């Protein structure tokens, strides 16, 4: 599982469409390893909003850092970035720390992307950044991957195999026949949200049938 390599990289990018369990997968994995987790959920593309929330990540670990970062504001200049980097480095505890920027695609900002890349290129000891996103626009993504700063986890790594589908359904109290497993895999391609909705339908109706507008149903389930 690629998630096990989080502490081996400056950054892990978990990139997949809605409904692939990105947030849940990251949260559950980090709960079971010995790291300090700082979690930021992004809501929109407001630069000031992003920076305020980012600063709040350090409020509990170092109040001086939190206040200094707020005072500097989003670092648009190289001098400001160097100052921010210094404050973050001083604020980090000695233990491994993982900063999670959840729903990173909502920032969709060249300025935020540039700042993230600046942090990665300067690779602070014991700091690891996890980005969960439906898509990203990091300008130097390929170079970051090639030089070992970033591992890229894509949707194929989050898809359930037929054997995993069988196990998942069994744990949920549903025993599948081999043909049903093959049909499920062919229809969902291992998409966890689709598998979940089909399982609910199976429990109600007792048969596996393709649901119309599955993507729309998943979106409604996720956001309501």
């Amino acid at each position: 599982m690629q998630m096990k390599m989080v502490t081996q990289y400056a950054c892990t990018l978990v990139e997949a469409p809605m409904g692939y369990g990105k947030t849940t997968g990251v949260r559950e994995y980090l709960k079971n390893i010995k790291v300090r987790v700082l979690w930021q959920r992004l809501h929109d593309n407001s630069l000031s909003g992003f920076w305020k929330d980012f600063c709040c990540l350090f409020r509990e670990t170092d109040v001086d850092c939190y206040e200094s970062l707020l005072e500097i504001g989003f670092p648009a200049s190289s001098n400001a970035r160097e100052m921010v980097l210094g404050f973050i480095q001083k604020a980090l505890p000695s233990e491994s720390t993982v900063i999670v920027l959840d729903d990173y695609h909502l920032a969709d900002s060249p300025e935020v992307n540039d700042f993230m890349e600046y942090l990665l290129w300067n690779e602070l000891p014991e700091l690891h950044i996890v980005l969960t996103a439906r898509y990203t626009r990091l300008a130097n993504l390929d170079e970051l991957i090639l030089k070992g700063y970033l591992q890229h986890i894509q949707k194929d790594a989050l898809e359930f195999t037929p054997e995993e589908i069988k196990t998942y359904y069994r744990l949920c109290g549903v025993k599948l026949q081999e043909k049903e497993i093959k049909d499920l895999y062919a229809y969902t391609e291992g998409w966890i949200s689709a598998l979940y909705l089909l399982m609910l339908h199976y429990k109600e109706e007792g048969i596996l049938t393709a649901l119309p507008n599955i993507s729309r149903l998943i979106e409604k389930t996720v956001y309501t």
Side-chain angles (χ1 to χ4, degrees), residues 3-224:
M3 200 71 71
K4 292 180 180 179
M5 300 294 290
V6 163
T7 55
Q8 304 301 313
Y9 288 87
C11 181
T12 295
L13 169 59
V14 185
E15 186 175 23
M18 178 192 67
Y20 271 83
K22 300 182 293 296
T23 298
T24 301
V26 169
R27 182 183 290 115
E28 290 303 310
Y29 175 70
L30 293 179
K31 278 169 54 177
N32 296 304
I33 63 172
K34 294 181 179 180
V35 295
R36 184 182 186 91
V37 179
L38 306 178
W39 194 288
Q40 179 181 350
R41 177 82 181 273
L42 278 73
H43 302 284
D44 52 40
N45 62 353
S46 165
L47 199 58
S48 60
F50 167 83
W51 189 245
K52 180 180 178 181
D53 290 344
F54 184 82
C55 294
C56 284
L57 294 175
F58 301 94
R59 185 161 51 186
E60 292 185 9
T61 57
D62 191 319
V63 175
D64 289 338
C65 174
Y66 162 68
E67 293 177 347
S68 297
L69 293 180
L70 277 180
E71 185 177 349
I72 294 171
F74 185 86
S77 68
S78 57
N79 287 339
R81 287 181 179 178
E82 288 178 9
M83 291 174 63
V84 164
L85 188 70
F87 281 119
I88 292 175
Q89 189 167 17
K90 289 180 182 178
L92 291 174
S94 56
E95 61 185 320
S96 290
T97 301
V98 176
I99 291 178
V100 180
L101 301 184
D102 192 23
D103 284 341
Y104 183 75
H105 58 276
L106 293 177
D108 202 18
S109 162
E111 292 85 358
V112 173
N113 286 340
D114 287 347
F115 175 63
M116 281 299 109
E117 290 198 16
Y118 176 79
L119 290 181
L120 300 186
W121 289 124
N122 284 277
E123 199 174 11
L124 294 176
E126 301 303 325
L127 176 63
H128 312 280
I129 297 172
V130 176
L131 309 176
T132 71
R134 296 184 197 174
Y135 60 86
T136 52
R137 305 185 199 278
L138 295 174
N140 298 293
L141 176 60
D142 291 340
E143 186 177 358
L144 286 165
I145 294 171
L146 183 64
K147 293 185 176 180
Y149 289 87
L150 182 148
Q151 71 159 332
H152 193 187
I153 300 177
Q154 297 175 277
K155 75 180 187 71
D156 57 340
L158 303 174
E159 293 166 354
F160 277 34
T161 64
E163 189 60 31
E164 288 169 336
I165 292 173
K166 179 181 179 180
T167 301
Y168 172 51
Y169 270 60
R170 186 178 68 245
L171 290 173
C172 295
V174 177
K175 186 176 181 180
L176 297 172
Q177 301 298 319
E178 289 303 315
K179 184 179 185 306
E180 291 175 321
I181 296 171
K182 291 179 181 178
D183 290 344
L184 273 173
Y185 184 72
Y187 181 57
T188 66
E189 296 181 346
W191 190 9
I192 180 60
S193 293
L195 288 166
Y196 173 71
L197 287 180
L198 287 170
M199 181 178 61
L200 295 181
H201 184 72
Y202 183 89
K203 285 185 173 183
E204 290 178 1
E205 304 295 331
I207 57 173
L208 284 174
T209 56
L211 298 176
N213 300 318
I214 188 73
S215 296
R216 191 177 304 168
L217 287 172
I218 289 170
E219 187 168 359
K220 182 179 179 181
T221 302
V222 169
Y223 288 108
T224 58

